[in-house]
Amino acid sequence: MPLALVTGPANSGKTGELLDRFTGALAREPVLVLPTSADVRRFEEELLARRPVAVGGRILTFGRLFESVAQAVGAVTPPALSAHQRDAVLAVVAREAPLEALAGPARRRGFAAALGGFVDEAQAARLTPAELAVRLRGVAARGAGDGGYLRELAVLCERYAARVAKLGRADAHDLAGAAIDGLTADPAAWGGRPVFLYGFDDLTYEQLALVEGLSRAAEVVVALVHEPGRACLVARERLLARLQSLGAEHAETLPPHEGPGLLSHLERGFLALDAPRREPGEGLVLLEASGERNEVEQVGAEIASLLRAGAAPEDMAVIVRAPEAHAALIEQVFASYGIPAAIDAQMPFGRTVLGRGLVALLRAALVTRSAADLVAYLRTPGRAATPNAVDRLERDVRVERRETVDEAEEAWLAEERRELWELRALREAAAQGPAALVERVAELARDMFEWARRRQAPVLDRAARRDQLASEQAGRALAELAELCAADPGLAPDAAGLAELLDTLAVWRSGGDPTGCVEVMSPYRARARRYPHVFVLSLQEGEFPRRGSDDPFLTESERVACGLPQRADQRDEERYLFYSAISRALRRLHLSWRGADDDGRELARSFFVDDVLDLLTEDAEGELVRRKSLSDTVFEPARAPTELELARSLAAWERTEAPAALGAGPALSERLAARLARARERADFLPGDLVVDVVREDFAQRGVFGASSLESYAECPFRYFVGHELRPRPLRPDDDALARGGLLHRALELVYEECRGVTAETVEAVVARAREILAEQAEGGAMAPVTPAARATYRRMESDLIRFIRHDARQPVGLPVHTLEAAFGGREGDEHPALELGEGVRLHGNIDRVDGTDGGNAFIHDYKSGSSVVRGLDFEAQAKLQLPLYMLAVKELWGMRPVGAVYHPLGKQYDAIPRGLLRRPEGELPEELEQFKDTDFADDADFDEQLERARRGGIELAHQIQSGHLGREPLDGACPRWCDLHAICRRDRGAKNPPENGERPPVD
């Protein structure tokens, strides 16, 4: 029987023509073949709408057609490998093959998948892996390419074929070949059932062979998008030529749809020669955005507006050239607008909630055995009684530096008193072998979705259904892998390989019926259906049209020499896909692109947009384009807005139909207007002085201050308030510098308490004892030298400690150690009460070391773990009050005469000169004081005056704290680079002290 063609451009009625032929042949049990299962579902709906009772026909995909033909002709093949099983075989083949030229690429993630695509294309061209290997060697022998590279590629193909044969399995192409051979031998076995094909842009040699065989056994009709002379349809010429080479005859050429509307004009005029220009109408909207998120938000706002106007979600399609690249952002933004979306894209299982948890569990139990992975697993829904329990564990792990899973599990058991049976289950399965481990992980993958919903019987929303689908897909893939491993244990990955497989396993974002959803799809998926509203996103140069990509393995000449089909011209393919996209709209077409990226850099839009504008009048662009800059905020009330969103959205709402959007009637209510105004005022209000009476009273009553607190306030009042009053607790251990400094202080205190000073004669003994004391203090703590990083830190501390002791022995001040950790302030255990500075202000503190004698001279040492310290000349400029105030305390509380106070830079490895303020002695400097810089000395009058200025400065700062003044006023008006509070203080780092707010905004 002849092979017939029904051709015509888009919207010419090919769908109706083919359905009419299909329904007219129902008595002969016809078959309608479509590209995807989603197309099958849609055509079934359309067929039932035309004919409520349709008995006798089948609508299926090409894969199902091969199965039907194989069944009809009685073809028998071994059980077929699933796609996941095939990938597992390819991965082992690539790992075990003796490779040189391909050794590097074979170790990279994705090589096995690329090899699978290459072998799959060869099989679709009716070349078995063994035949492909022979041809590759022939090309190598003729010197047409890299001989070693091609021979190794041939080895991989042969090893794959041998491994599949050893398993006693086949694959989908073996079934296809058996079906074709059986049909060729016995065409009558098909029973004369008519076959109709619709929506295909190209067919493989394998599919063409089946079409040719069916055309000898029954009526075969192929509907094809084609119109002579159309530049946008050149990509379909190859399929037409192939079908004609099989003897296809034109059964009918459908005329184009010549409608009066703008959308019909775009379909007929796109890339057509001498196409006329016309005035733009309501059928086309052009959207320009700044930044990827801004673009999706703008499209989301348009969709939300259409939904409010009464449009159904299934009336809208969002077409993206590469949905996988934008799916996560589209899903997030659409969810924030309350837009139900079905996204036709895959994602790695490791990026799902359940996938992250399962991968983390596997890594914690058998791979990294790290506490961090266990915490990540416990974040999986259903694994902890409350999120607070995991928060407590994470804080314990981070702050206490628990690194192993055993340490974290011990802390969990102590707090929650519940065993983590999953760890034990995986370890027991791993002990039984890799195959048992795969099977156990498959069970966990299937069960994890149910854990958080046991005994609840909840109605699942779309997000939950997506997680359920991901869980089912991962469980099914692992179960198939476990089945394969049972037949060949050598195919089982180890724990690390299994974790990587799970992390990269592709699962579908959406599944099931997309009814009630806005569909997000590629242009290929959109070909077989039309929608009232179509949005084409990301029309950027390089994205749509997409740049062509080369075959990952062969050059074009090598492909031809191996018998593989020539690759289609990428430019022709992109023109056809855009033509398909713009011809899907029935009522309105939205074209969207980004004029700039998130950093404001200009981006080039797709030249397809210019092709569309060439069909309109010259001033159409200014009339049609809707632009959104980065400063514009799109807000739709699909979810409960935050105050900040309300504040940022007020200006936009006042310009638009905010009352209608909220359903609040024709006028914005006074209550809403007042709330928006207050929200905007609060969002604009900057941090400033204390205003709450009870808090101001508390500050006013404070009378005792620490020297370090006063210094912190002088550096920046706002930073002082955050650090001293709010005291946020970071979810991490103390900085190494802080921990190192604390340990050094403690070690020095114990060393000098035991040795009471160091001389040239005792220095070696003191150094030896210092080593022992440091080791004792570090044992069991965060600084214990048990890891490479901790050992490096410990050695640095040890070096700092010994360097200071040797320095102290060489250049003594000449005074004995008087007091260590000299505390004053009136707290329990303090040697003296707080120092009275005056005007109701008192000082407390803790002096590292005081050298001197009762009633005599006193010299103060303050240890700094860093490598830089402040010289006495700069004390006032840098608001360093600690040493002057400590000298006042020694004078007035201990009754000693202060002769100096210095900071010791313990962390400075070379030329570690202490700096500070010293009383200049009469005459020449004694030898023991020559270690200090001359600029650190002051005459008696200047020395005493500096102490008094420090007293007055401390009193003034204390009074400012008591008044509740907490301005954003960094010292010298410049925020230091190390400050990390700018996100909450919102001060421009380049500006001098700005004026603070006046009145506090009202509070609801």
Side-chain angles (χ1 to χ4, degrees), residues 101-138:
L102 286 172
R107 288 192 295 267
R108 296 174 187 164
R109 180 181 291 186
F111 178 82
L115 178 62
F118 176 68
V119 173
D120 186 68
E121 185 181 13
Q123 290 179 291
R126 306 214 70 191
L127 289 173
T128 66
E131 291 171 336
L132 178 61
V134 172
R135 297 197 180 198
L136 286 168
R137 286 195 171 90

Side-chain angles (χ1 to χ4, degrees), residues 31-35 58-62 65 195-198 200:
V31 174
L32 174 60
V33 186
L34 298 169
R58 290 189 67 190
I59 303 178
L60 38 72
T61 61
F62 234 119
L65 177 63
V195 179
F196 304 93
L197 281 76
Y198 176 81
F200 291 95

Side-chain angles (χ1 to χ4, degrees), residues 490-663:
L491 295 174
D494 59 11
L498 185 56
E500 181 178 347
L501 184 152
L502 273 174
D503 194 31
T504 58
L505 179 68
V507 296
W508 289 99
R509 286 183 174 272
S510 304
D513 187 0
T515 302
C517 296
V518 175
E519 293 190 67
V520 181
M521 64 190 77
S522 72
Y524 288 107
R525 179 73 179 272
R527 294 164 300 175
R529 184 182 172 187
R530 301 188 70 191
Y531 302 82
H533 303 278
V534 172
F535 295 80
V536 186
L537 258 70
S538 200
L539 287 170
Q540 305 298 139
E541 197 64 41
E543 288 190 48
F544 198 177
R546 177 185 283 182
R547 299 184 180 91
S549 58
D550 296 328
D551 185 309
F553 291 101
L554 302 179
T555 64
E556 196 61 35
S557 61
E558 290 168 348
R559 286 174 60 85
V560 173
C562 288
L564 295 173
Q566 286 185 314
R567 293 163 66 87
D569 186 280
Q570 187 69 28
R571 293 168 297 180
D572 292 338
E573 187 72 9
E574 296 300 312
R575 293 188 189 106
Y576 165 70
L577 291 176
F578 184 74
Y579 168 77
S580 292
I582 65 173
S583 64
R584 298 302 88 202
L586 290 167
R587 189 178 308 163
R588 185 175 296 172
L589 172 67
H590 296 72
L591 302 180
S592 174
W593 69 91
R594 302 184 294 280
D597 62 12
D598 291 331
D599 296 323
R601 290 186 292 265
E602 186 177 1
L603 296 178
R605 71 185 181 191
S606 170
F607 56 76
F608 287 150
V609 177
D610 299 299
D611 291 333
V612 169
L613 289 171
D614 287 343
L615 299 173
L616 307 174
T617 55
E618 293 184 0
D619 59 346
E621 181 172 0
E623 180 181 340
L624 290 176
V625 176
R626 302 177 187 174
R627 290 183 170 88
K628 290 285 185 181
S629 68
L630 284 174
S631 60
D632 292 329
T633 302
V634 179
F635 171 73
E636 297 293 337
R639 56 183 168 85
T642 65
E643 283 189 350
L644 184 58
E645 286 171 329
L646 283 169
R648 289 177 174 174
S649 308
L650 179 59
W653 276 56
E654 290 171 345
R655 292 194 303 267
T656 58
E657 298 294 330
L662 280 174

Side-chain angles (χ1 to χ4, degrees), residues 80-89 167 169 435 438-439 441-443 446 472-488 491-493 501 505:
L81 293 172
S82 70
H84 297 299
Q85 291 173 328
R86 188 166 177 267
D87 290 345
V89 174
L167 289 167
R169 294 295 192 97
V438 173
E439 187 173 353
V441 174
E443 293 175 6
R446 288 191 298 265
E472 291 173 353
Q473 292 177 83
R476 183 164 56 249
L478 290 172
E480 292 169 353
L481 179 60
E483 176 190 348
L484 198 64
C485 295
D488 185 353
L491 295 174
L501 184 152
L505 179 68

